[in-house]
Amino acid sequence: MGENASFWEGLIYAHPTCTTWKQEAEGSIYHLASILFVVGFMGGSGFFGLLYVFSLLGLGFLCSSVWAWLDVCAADIFSWNFILFAICFVQFIYVTYQVRSVSFDREFQELYSSLFQPLGISLTVYRKIVLCCDAEVVSLEKEHCYAMQGKTPIDKLSLLVSGRIRVTVDGEFLHYIFPLQFLDSPEWDSLRPTEEGIFQVTLTAETDCRYVAWRRKKLYLLFAKHRFISRLFSVLIGSDIAEKLYALNDRVQVGKGFRYDIRLPNFYHVSLPETPSVQPSHHLQRGSPRHKPPGVTNSFSAQSWREDSATAAPQGHGGKSKAEEQKGGAE
């Protein structure tokens, strides 16, 4: 214990204390170096933040080296500051090379600014995603099909960059796909990595389109190497599927203000206080952006809807509904 105390005492009190202080201030180069250090340590993260930090710190160490050479005339102070300046300069060149190497075409740059940058994805991570699709944007001409119902295999995941895609099933319109939306997110999510399948819908280009496509096996290899990218695509695909479901839900309607509730797949959410146990099939209508022909049912059949409604209606004695019993009692 005494040896430790003597060590600290020697460390603190061994050097002579300053009896007199210099009255004059140091030169302007020293103060400039201090200002550069303060401003330099305020830099942020990322490539451009590193460029900011290393550039200002390098200039600060350079000014300190000049101050040590001209004013202090101390070789050791000059040497250390110059070594630190050289390290900052090398780091600045290295980061600059990295920024230059992570450059993309205009469409990929716009895709990064619109979709990935708001999520805080760095350029290095985005570069891995772009290289997985071979940095290629595929063109699809108007009225050409991206996928055909019952024929096209599910072997890739595509993201629409520009244009508009029409989704149909058995010739009936379902919804549109707009830029920054996946073309085949439901198909991707419905299969496991080892499973294979084919499209149950037809995707046709309404206009000239351009999209980015990742091959299924290659993308799964990327997910296995980088779990962060796997979680990122899981979030993006889940959000895209939710948007498609809500787009379908907005189109599914029944007559007189009735609206389909997405939480109840077999029932219709009814805003009226009382509804008949059996509703005519002509009240069911299929929504369409251009025309809503009466008498056309949705993919949920009118017969199954009648059965669900009859089951949901309260039953009285002898299989009669409550409304029929009240009517008989009134008579």
Side-chain angles (χ1 to χ4, degrees), residues 246 249 260-267 269:
Y246 278 111
N249 184 57
Y260 180 69
D261 192 341
I262 195 174
R263 297 166 297 179
L264 305 174
N266 296 325
F267 297 94
H269 179 73

Coordinates of all heavy atoms in Angstrom, one line a residue, residues 246 249 260-267 269:
Y246 N -54.6 -3.6 -48.1 CA -55.5 -2.4 -48.0 C -56.0 -1.9 -49.3 O -57.2 -1.4 -49.4 CB -54.8 -1.3 -47.2 CG -54.7 -1.5 -45.7 CD1 -53.6 -1.8 -45.1 CD2 -55.9 -1.4 -45.0 CE1 -53.5 -2.0 -43.7 CE2 -55.9 -1.6 -43.6 CZ -54.7 -1.9 -43.0 OH -54.7 -2.1 -41.6
N249 N -58.8 -4.2 -50.0 CA -59.9 -4.0 -49.1 C -60.7 -2.7 -49.4 O -61.9 -2.7 -49.3 CB -59.3 -3.8 -47.7 CG -60.4 -3.6 -46.6 OD1 -61.3 -4.5 -46.5 ND2 -60.4 -2.5 -45.9
Y260 N -66.4 -4.3 -46.6 CA -65.7 -5.6 -46.1 C -64.6 -5.2 -45.0 O -63.9 -4.3 -45.2 CB -65.0 -6.2 -47.3 CG -64.3 -7.5 -47.0 CD1 -64.9 -8.6 -46.6 CD2 -62.9 -7.5 -47.0 CE1 -64.3 -9.8 -46.3 CE2 -62.2 -8.7 -46.7 CZ -62.9 -9.8 -46.3 OH -62.2 -10.9 -46.0
D261 N -64.6 -6.0 -44.0 CA -63.7 -5.8 -42.9 C -62.5 -6.8 -43.1 O -62.7 -8.0 -43.1 CB -64.3 -6.1 -41.6 CG -63.5 -5.6 -40.4 OD1 -62.3 -5.5 -40.6 OD2 -64.0 -5.5 -39.3
I262 N -61.3 -6.2 -43.3 CA -60.1 -7.1 -43.6 C -59.8 -8.0 -42.4 O -59.1 -9.0 -42.6 CB -58.9 -6.1 -43.9 CG1 -57.8 -6.9 -44.6 CG2 -58.4 -5.5 -42.7 CD1 -56.7 -6.1 -45.1
R263 N -60.3 -7.7 -41.2 CA -59.9 -8.6 -40.1 C -60.8 -9.8 -40.0 O -60.5 -10.8 -39.3 CB -60.1 -7.8 -38.8 CG -59.2 -6.6 -38.7 CD -59.6 -5.7 -37.5 NE -60.9 -5.1 -37.8 CZ -61.6 -4.3 -37.0 NH1 -61.0 -4.0 -35.8 NH2 -62.8 -3.8 -37.3
L264 N -62.0 -9.8 -40.7 CA -62.9 -10.9 -40.7 C -63.0 -11.4 -42.1 O -63.8 -10.9 -42.9 CB -64.2 -10.5 -40.2 CG -64.2 -9.8 -38.8 CD1 -65.6 -9.3 -38.4 CD2 -63.7 -10.8 -37.7
P265 N -62.3 -12.4 -42.5 CA -62.3 -12.9 -43.9 C -63.6 -13.4 -44.4 O -63.9 -13.4 -45.6 CB -61.2 -14.0 -43.9 CG -60.4 -13.8 -42.7 CD -61.3 -13.2 -41.7
N266 N -64.4 -13.9 -43.6 CA -65.7 -14.6 -44.0 C -66.9 -13.8 -43.8 O -68.0 -14.2 -44.0 CB -65.8 -15.9 -43.3 CG -64.7 -16.9 -43.7 OD1 -64.3 -16.9 -44.8 ND2 -64.3 -17.7 -42.7
F267 N -66.8 -12.5 -43.3 CA -68.0 -11.7 -43.0 C -67.8 -10.3 -43.5 O -66.7 -9.9 -43.8 CB -68.2 -11.7 -41.5 CG -68.5 -13.0 -40.8 CD1 -67.5 -13.7 -40.3 CD2 -69.8 -13.5 -40.9 CE1 -67.8 -15.0 -39.7 CE2 -70.1 -14.7 -40.3 CZ -69.0 -15.5 -39.7
H269 N -68.4 -6.3 -42.7 CA -68.7 -5.4 -41.6 C -69.9 -4.5 -42.1 O -69.8 -3.8 -43.0 CB -67.5 -4.5 -41.4 CG -67.7 -3.5 -40.3 ND1 -67.8 -3.9 -39.0 CD2 -67.9 -2.2 -40.4 CE1 -67.9 -2.8 -38.2 NE2 -68.0 -1.7 -39.1

